[in-house]
């Protein structure tokens, strides 16, 4: 199975590029970690994630607790390595000798800039790190034990709070209990208000396109969506893990998060793994939060709220210039794009929101993700057979469009819930679109079959056909990336 973490490869490569950092630490380059895996002993290796509580520094961690009989007298017994988000490597050591199957209690690691205490059970399980200080900053380390049957993959990353009045990134790190491919369990580390919280999540529903694989990644345990709690509030998140199936061997995790689901005082934003592991090139990120936009529309944006009910609209909105009866939840930030009864004011259907002439030179696959929601009128859903929302691509300046993601009514009849159309037969048969924004994604390939003219650009559009009251759609956080 393909490994997606670059940590071990980068560790050896960056080791020789960080001489100035190494010279400040306790041991030299000849004393690298051995990565021994011992399943039922305290002499073993751990992997995890690191952050300072101000989120200035973050990274991935490896710690080896070594049997003193297996090392030379000149070597350090217990070693820790932290690879920061910028590639810098930090070391710390402890020369305390331990006995086999001895409970480890507050084993002190130290170097010029880093110190912490490490504890674990006699068999090496349940590792805990306390009293972490890096460059005089309080910090936190979260660890899991490596075994021969359970590899670990680690990611450092950040989140942005779109509704906090600050764009400063904060730490969102992840430990994956496996090699990162297929179904996996997550342990997360998130700094909020200078406190580090740990939580849980799962990876599932993977779709292999040949070039990349896209998996859904969500908080919780598959039954509850709660990632962790903040006092009386809950934190939930959802997104995608994307990893390559060939060269380059790389991956990335991204998505959205929110606190106080569905409440008027909710906090929300986005998260993404650090560029040190990412392999996709971002072509578009549109969050509809300001007047600087990356799209064009086939008709002028409009709303009839100033003269009528506000149920006819096609507009970037924060909800104040459309009907107050439209109730959507899990909004990331404050604004999104929404449409309802689009031809009610005389427009000709269908209409489009288009991202034009994106440079995809040397890219083999194009990845699209967005949040979608639809207002529930509380009694029944109202999409009819002709209603749809399609996402299409064109390599030939719009002469030919191909649909690669579709939302349709659940039947050819009337008043049915909109659902993802997984087989593109015009009838929604997949996940239902509800009044809560949910992440969806799709991929199309750039090859001789899809792009016979070998164009270096592609256009992507969202095409809408909604022609009656209560037939609506909303979308947000459009992300287009290429590999």
């Amino acid at each position: 199975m393909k490994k997606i973490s670059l940590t071990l490869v980068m560790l050896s490569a960056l080791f020789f590029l960080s001489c100035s950092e190494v010279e400040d630490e306790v041991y030299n380059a000849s004393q690298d970690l051995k990565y021994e895996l011992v399943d039922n002993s305290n002499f073993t290796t751990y992997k995890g994630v690191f952050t300072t509580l101000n989120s200035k520094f973050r990274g991935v961690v490896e710690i080896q607790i070594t049997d003193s009989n297996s090392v030379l007298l000149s070597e350090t017994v217990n070693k820790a390595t932290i690879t920061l988000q910028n590639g810098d490597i930090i070391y710390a050591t402890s020369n305390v000798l331990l006995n086999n199957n001895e409970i480890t209690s507050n084993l002190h690691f130290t170097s010029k800039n880093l110190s912490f205490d490490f504890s674990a059970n006699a068999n090496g399980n349940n590792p805990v790190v306390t009293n972490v200080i890096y460059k005089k900053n309080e910090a936190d380390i979260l660890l899991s034990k490596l075994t021969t049957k359970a590899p670990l993959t680690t990611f450092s990353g950040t989140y942005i709070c779109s509704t906090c009045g600050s764009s400063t990134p904060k730490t969102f790190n992840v430990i994956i209990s496996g090699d990162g491919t297929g179904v996996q369990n997550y342990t997360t580390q998130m700094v909020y208000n200078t406190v580090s919280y740990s939580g849980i999540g799962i990876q599932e529903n993977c779709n292999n396109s040949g070039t990349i694989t896209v998996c859904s990644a969500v908080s919780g345990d598959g039954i509850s969506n709660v990632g962790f709690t903040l006092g009386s509030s809950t934190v939930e998140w959802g997104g995608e893990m994307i990893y390559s199936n060939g060269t380059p061997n790389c991956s990335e995790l991204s998505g959205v998060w929110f606190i106080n689901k569905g409440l008027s005082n909710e906090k929300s934003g986005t998260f993404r793994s650090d560029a040190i592991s990412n392999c996709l090139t971002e072509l578009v990120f549109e969050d509809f939060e300001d007047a600087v936009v990356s799209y064009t529309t086939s008709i002028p944006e409009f709303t009839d709220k100033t003269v009528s009910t506000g149920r006819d609209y096609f507009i970037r909105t924060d909800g104040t210039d459309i009907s107050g009866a439209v109730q959507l939840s899990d909004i990331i930030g404050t604004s999104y794009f929404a449409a309802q009864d689009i031809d009610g004011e005389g427009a000709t259907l269908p209409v489009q929101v288009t991202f034009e002439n994106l440079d995809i030179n040397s890219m083999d696959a194009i990845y699209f993700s967005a949040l979608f929601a639809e207002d529930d009128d509380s009694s029944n859903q109202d999409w009819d057979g002709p209603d749809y929302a399609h996402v299409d691509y064109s390599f030939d300046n719009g002469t030919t469009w191909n649909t690669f993601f579709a939302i349709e009514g659940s039947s050819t009849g009337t008043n049915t819930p909109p659902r993802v159309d997984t087989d593109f037969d015009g009838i929604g048969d997949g996940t239902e679109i509800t009044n809560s924004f949910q992440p969806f994604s799709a991929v199309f390939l750039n090859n001789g079959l899809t792009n016979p003219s070998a164009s270096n650009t592609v256009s992507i559009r969202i095409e809408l056909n909604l022609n009656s009251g209560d037939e609506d759609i909303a979308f947000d956080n459009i992300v287009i990336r290429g590999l």
Side-chain angles (χ1 to χ4, degrees):
M1 183 175 288
K2 186 168 186 63
K3 294 184 178 180
I4 64 173
S5 175
L6 300 179
T7 303
L8 296 182
V9 176
M10 290 175 55
L11 183 60
S12 59
L14 292 173
F15 198 94
F16 300 101
L17 299 177
S18 305
C19 296
S20 61
E21 185 70 33
V22 174
E23 291 172 355
D24 290 337
E25 302 302 339
V26 176
Y27 66 94
N28 60 43
S30 66
Q31 302 177 24
D32 203 359
L33 300 188
K34 295 182 176 6
Y35 305 109
E36 295 177 352
L37 303 182
V38 184
D39 291 349
N40 195 33
S41 171
N42 58 328
F43 299 141
T44 190
T45 301
Y46 302 86
K47 292 182 71 174
V49 288
F50 160 84
T51 182
T52 53
L53 299 188
N54 60 10
S55 293
K56 183 178 180 180
F57 301 98
R58 61 188 178 277
V60 297
V61 183
E62 302 211 19
I63 295 176
Q64 185 171 8
I65 307 299
T66 307
D67 181 354
S68 60
N69 294 322
S70 68
V71 298
L72 300 176
L73 292 177
S74 60
E75 290 184 326
T76 302
V77 178
N78 308 301
K79 309 168 186 176
T81 300
I82 298 178
T83 304
L84 297 180
Q85 77 271 21
N86 60 3
D88 287 348
I89 300 177
I90 311 302
Y91 301 98
T93 60
S94 173
N95 281 318
V96 175
L97 301 180
L98 299 174
N99 297 316
N100 189 26
N101 296 123
E102 174 186 356
I103 294 175
T104 305
S105 179
N106 295 324
L107 183 65
H108 189 63
F109 284 77
T110 186
S111 68
K112 177 181 178 181
N113 294 314
L114 175 68
S115 64
F116 62 86
D117 296 323
F118 171 87
S119 301
N121 293 350
N123 60 2
N125 293 336
N126 300 317
V128 176
V129 178
T130 56
N131 302 318
V132 187
I133 300 294
Y134 177 62
K135 291 187 173 180
K136 299 182 181 181
N137 297 292
E138 290 187 74
D140 181 53
I141 292 176
L142 189 63
L143 289 179
S144 290
K145 179 183 176 182
L146 273 170
T147 71
T148 57
K149 297 180 181 179
L152 293 169
T153 304
T154 53
F155 286 91
S156 64
T158 57
Y159 73 90
I160 297 292
C161 183
S162 303
T163 54
C164 294
S166 171
S167 59
T168 303
K170 302 297 183 183
T171 297
F172 185 89
N173 294 337
V174 175
I175 303 173
I176 303 178
S177 300
D179 67 353
T181 64
V183 176
Q184 308 276 275
N185 291 319
Y186 285 24
T187 302
T188 60
Q189 180 188 53
M190 182 177 182
V191 173
Y192 186 79
N193 286 343
T194 68
V195 177
S196 180
Y197 296 87
S198 62
I200 57 175
I202 57 174
Q203 177 176 301
E204 57 187 358
N205 300 325
C206 297
N207 180 28
N208 184 337
S209 71
T211 302
I212 62 175
T213 294
V214 179
C215 304
S216 64
V218 296
S219 59
D221 57 7
I223 300 174
S224 167
N225 291 329
V226 175
F228 59 91
T229 59
L230 287 172
S232 60
S233 303
T234 60
V235 175
E236 299 182 27
W237 52 265
E240 292 84 29
M241 170 67 78
I242 306 170
Y243 58 87
S244 67
N245 299 321
T247 304
N249 178 13
C250 50
S251 55
E252 65 179 76
L253 174 67
S254 62
V256 297
W257 66 274
F258 47 87
I259 304 173
N260 288 331
K261 182 178 179 180
L263 301 180
S264 59
N265 64 336
E266 73 176 16
K267 303 292 184 183
S268 60
T270 60
F271 65 87
R272 188 175 181 182
S273 54
D274 284 321
I276 204 167
S277 61
N278 295 345
C279 55
L280 276 71
T281 299
E282 185 169 282
L283 303 172
V284 170
F285 175 67
E286 180 56 71
D287 59 5
F288 304 103
E289 293 295 328
D290 54 47
V292 179
V293 298
S294 53
Y295 63 90
T296 60
T297 57
S298 58
I299 62 172
E301 298 182 29
F302 72 88
T303 177
D304 71 343
K305 185 172 183 181
T306 57
V307 296
S308 186
T309 62
R311 284 193 173 274
D312 300 343
Y313 52 84
F314 174 77
I315 193 171
R316 177 175 61 91
T317 181
D318 61 1
T320 61
D321 50 4
I322 62 177
S323 172
V326 176
Q327 295 292 309
L328 303 174
S329 63
D330 298 348
I331 299 169
I332 303 303
T334 59
S335 298
Y336 49 91
F337 200 98
Q340 182 172 190
D341 194 8
I342 302 168
D343 64 348
E345 302 300 309
T348 299
L349 296 175
V351 298
Q352 297 86 27
V353 175
T354 305
F355 304 90
E356 297 179 296
N357 298 320
L358 308 177
D359 185 359
I360 45 85
N361 186 30
S362 301
M363 295 179 181
D364 297 321
I366 312 301
Y367 162 77
F368 170 92
S369 71
L371 305 174
F372 286 93
E374 188 264 354
D375 178 46
D376 185 350
D377 71 356
S378 78
S379 59
N380 60 274
Q381 302 288 350
D382 290 317
W383 276 37
D384 300 333
D387 297 328
Y388 65 79
H390 290 172
V391 185
D392 311 320
Y393 69 84
S394 173
F395 286 108
D396 57 10
N397 297 316
T399 301
T400 304
W401 290 95
N402 299 280
T403 300
F404 67 101
F405 180 78
I407 299 171
E408 307 272 1
S410 301
S411 76
T412 57
T414 60
N415 297 339
T416 62
R419 297 180 182 274
V420 175
D421 181 4
T422 62
D423 55 8
F424 302 102
D425 65 352
I427 298 176
D429 58 323
T431 303
E432 181 177 343
I433 311 301
T434 71
N435 64 340
S436 295
F437 277 98
Q438 303 174 74
F440 296 90
S441 63
V443 176
F444 63 92
L445 301 181
N446 177 20
N447 55 33
L449 181 62
T450 60
N451 184 13
S453 64
S455 172
N456 288 328
T457 63
V458 70
S459 294
I460 296 175
R461 72 182 186 186
I462 301 173
E463 182 171 85
L464 306 176
N465 193 81
L466 303 167
N467 68 350
S468 297
D470 290 334
E471 297 172 3
D472 71 280
I473 195 72
F475 47 88
D476 196 6
N477 279 64
I478 308 294
V479 180
I480 303 172
R481 301 190 183 110
L483 173 64

